[in-house]
Amino acid sequence: MSKVLIIGCGGVAQVVVHKCCQHSDIFSEICLASRTKSKCDALKAKLAGKTKTKITTRQVDADNVQELIQLIQEEKPKLVMNIALPYQDLTIMEACLKCKVDYLDTANFEPEDTNDPIWRARYEKRCKEKGFTALFDYSYQWEYHEKFKNAGITAILGSGFDPGVTQVFCAYAQKHFFDQIDTIDILDCNGGDHGYPFATNFNPEINLREVSSAGSYFENGKWIEIPAMSIKREYNFAEVGQKDMYLLHHEEIESLAKNIKGVQRIRFFMTFGQSYLTHMQCLENVGMLSTTPVEFEGKEIVPIQFLKKLLPDPASLGPRTKGKTNIGCIFTGKKDGKEKSIYIYNVCDHQECYKEVGSQAVAYTTGVPAMIGAMLFLKGLWTLKGVHTLEEFDPDPFMEALNLCGLPWKIEENPTRVE
Ligand code: NDP
């Protein structure tokens, strides 16, 4: 019986709250706090009478450490779940450290202001040293490892699907199927159709920043960077069909390269339709994906934030999205001296998710693992002190919970490999 503080009330948080409320024996109380309190109140009203979990709501600016400390001290949660944006990771971690309260999030830190000279100097150094130019990396959060450990608290980083479940699949493959994993291909296929010419399935700013950046993969101890969308493959996904997919940089490659010993290559592919790519290219060409403020009629606006205002809210796509997602990892390697290859994956149906919690599958596949990570922490099963990504914990209770909580997985032996 524990109280959690959930920060953020967007598309993913709606699923997290719904799923926690299905497990009132563990999540006896939720304080839901976000920038716009009315969204928290609306969600609370939606769940009234449907759960034994007690929900209270608060307003908070999660960019402000002092405000967060005050909120945590007043609410006294057992765990803080950061379901806001990657921009808030460090402020929320800092507040958790000050209050000695445990922490969980779904995406690694990324700065909102990429023109901040202090951040930029460190970023440019990292680009040169590591060889990838993504705006995010784990170093900022890993710097908290010793501090969290000394404070006797846990940070669970990236408890969504990818990052998140994909790393649990890696730990599970390592524990049960391989003596040595040689290659990992993470495949993220969304075969869903929402009927709009262009919309993103989660926060547009974060999503478009990610997919318009250079791609990269990890091979033989080094990062190899390629122009955005320049490596394309076709893959025939179970229950979805043939799709085009493109190699992207993705945050879990960085932690897996560190934690899966001896791995030779890690790549990440995501499917995109031609319409999405054409729209994105056009928006990029005209400067609408820029994060640099421009002056417009006497007011400063950030183009990508203005674009977010125009695009459909991902949280509203639930009723319209039809089709399935198929996300998983293809592993090759050796077991008992023999070559082996498996695909561990989950298929999730957009309409089934909508029926259950009122959201599409991208929010669902992120929100359910966030709830499971929190549940395992609260049950005392995932309590390693310090800052950790999901492949560092025992995968077995998480894999079991996926099957019970709406994201069942399958294993295919000798799957078709990606060239
Ligand atoms: P949304 O934009 O829908 O929701 C973000 C929420 O955070 C909103 O309620 C927003 O408030 C709130 N918020 C933003 N800034 C602040 C602030 N300063 N203080 C308090 N609250 C704030 O995003 P999503 O729900 O789509 O995404 C949530 C997270 O999930 C993101 O970090 C995203 O990267 C991650 N994600 C992870 C995936 C994975 O597989 N690991 C996949 C998809 C997403 P307001 O309502 O006022 O805007």
Side-chain angles (χ1 to χ4, degrees):
M1 298 284 276
S2 305
K3 176 175 182 176
V4 293
L5 169 62
I6 297 179
I7 300 178
C9 193
V12 175
Q14 310 251 347
V15 178
V16 176
V17 174
H18 266 94
K19 294 302 283 192
C20 290
C21 287
Q22 291 176 0
H23 299 272
S24 302
D25 51 327
I26 294 155
F27 300 91
S28 53
E29 207 176 330
I30 293 173
C31 172
L32 180 58
S34 194
R35 182 168 54 192
T36 313
K37 184 172 172 287
S38 56
K39 287 193 190 171
C40 305
D41 293 332
L43 182 55
K44 178 183 168 179
K46 218 191 255 180
L47 283 156
K50 294 184 188 149
T51 175
K52 287 193 179 132
T53 303
K54 181 181 165 206
I55 303 176
T56 54
T57 62
R58 298 281 303 258
Q59 199 277 333
V60 72
D61 174 7
D63 292 322
N64 183 321
V65 178
Q66 275 318 311
E67 251 187 58
L68 287 164
I69 290 175
Q70 198 181 333
L71 176 70
I72 296 170
Q73 283 173 345
E74 286 170 12
E75 294 296 334
K76 302 187 176 46
K78 181 89 186 63
L79 174 74
V80 175
M81 300 175 71
N82 169 14
I83 318 291
L85 296 177
Y87 306 149
Q88 282 83 45
D89 286 6
L90 298 184
T91 45
I92 301 178
M93 284 181 84
E94 186 61 32
C96 283
L97 182 62
K98 292 270 157 53
C99 300
K100 292 199 171 30
V101 173
D102 305 85
Y103 169 90
L104 173 145
D105 68 27
T106 64
N108 79 3
F109 169 70
E110 178 171 343
E112 186 159 17
D113 176 10
T114 53
N115 294 313
D116 170 20
I118 299 174
W119 176 82
R120 193 144 271 283
R122 178 169 166 170
Y123 165 74
E124 276 160 14
K125 187 164 173 274
R126 195 241 31 225
C127 292
K128 272 200 206 112
E129 281 171 7
K130 290 227 171 172
F132 65 88
T133 57
L135 296 172
F136 47 86
D137 68 68
Y138 273 114
S139 66
Y140 300 85
Q141 291 181 277
W142 281 341
E143 269 173 15
Y144 277 88
H145 179 64
E146 287 303 320
K147 293 183 211 165
F148 266 56
K149 212 169 149 184
N150 293 338
I153 53 172
T154 302
I156 300 175
L157 303 189
S159 197
F161 207 105
D162 46 338
V165 175
T166 49
Q167 288 141 288
V168 176
F169 287 168
C170 293
Y172 192 73
Q174 181 73 85
K175 183 171 175 182
H176 298 286
F177 292 95
F178 291 93
D179 297 324
Q180 173 62 54
I181 294 177
D182 293 333
T183 68
I184 305 170
D185 277 335
I186 303 167
L187 311 189
D188 179 333
C189 162
N190 181 5
D193 182 6
H194 44 58
Y196 286 115
F198 186 72
T200 64
N201 293 297
F202 69 97
N203 182 283
E205 193 178 330
I206 305 295
N207 184 229
L208 289 166
R209 267 189 180 199
E210 176 179 278
V211 303
S212 59
S213 302
S216 67
Y217 58 101
F218 186 79
E219 191 166 43
N220 298 326
K222 286 202 305 274
W223 289 91
I224 296 166
E225 187 156 272
I226 54 151
M229 306 291 171
S230 61
I231 294 188
K232 176 185 166 186
R233 299 282 185 270
E234 276 180 28
Y235 200 81
N236 193 5
F237 288 92
E239 297 187 50
V240 176
Q242 190 89 359
K243 291 277 168 194
D244 291 341
M245 59 184 192
Y246 297 82
L247 188 143
L248 298 186
H249 175 85
H250 224 247
E251 66 195 59
E252 65 265 49
I253 301 177
E254 193 187 358
S255 74
L256 289 170
K258 188 170 130 190
N259 293 318
I260 302 292
K261 300 293 172 216
V263 67
Q264 290 160 19
R265 191 187 67 202
I266 313 171
R267 302 183 296 185
F268 181 97
F269 291 90
M270 190 178 273
T271 62
F272 295 100
Q274 195 48 53
S275 168
Y276 184 98
L277 293 179
T278 309
H279 277 81
M280 194 183 75
Q281 191 86 68
C282 174
L283 290 166
E284 188 169 27
N285 288 347
V286 298
M288 282 301 286
L289 301 188
S290 169
T291 53
T292 307
V294 291
E295 212 187 291
F296 180 70
E297 297 188 341
K299 203 174 177 296
E300 247 196 11
I301 59 166
V302 176
I304 198 165
Q305 285 173 4
F306 177 65
L307 174 65
K308 180 178 181 235
K309 273 270 172 251
L310 301 177
L311 291 175
D313 178 357
S316 72
L317 298 176
R320 315 171 47 104
T321 310
K322 298 194 169 62
K324 293 179 182 178
T325 60
N326 176 328
I327 318 175
C329 305
I330 299 177
F331 301 96
T332 67
K334 287 162 207 80
K335 178 75 177 170
D336 302 326
K338 286 198 198 105
E339 297 284 333
K340 185 174 174 67
S341 125
I342 58 170
Y343 182 40
I344 310 183
Y345 66 99
N346 160 263
V347 172
C348 190
D349 184 308
H350 286 283
Q351 283 297 298
E352 292 299 319
C353 298
Y354 183 65
K355 269 189 234 145
E356 188 194 325
V357 299
S359 300
Q360 34 83 359
V362 176
Y364 189 90
T365 53
T366 310
V368 172
M371 182 281 288
I372 294 174
M375 182 169 74
L376 297 186
F377 170 78
L378 296 172
K379 281 182 165 178
L381 296 170
W382 272 27
T383 53
L384 272 181
K385 304 299 173 214
V387 174
H388 301 281
T389 43
L390 268 58
E391 69 275 21
E392 296 179 72
F393 295 91
D394 178 8
D396 292 355
F398 201 106
M399 294 294 275
E400 195 185 319
L402 285 169
N403 280 334
L404 299 173
C405 300
L407 293 176
W409 43 272
K410 291 183 184 160
I411 297 183
E412 185 185 340
E413 300 268 348
N414 298 317
T416 308
R417 297 196 198 168
V418 182
E419 268 173 59

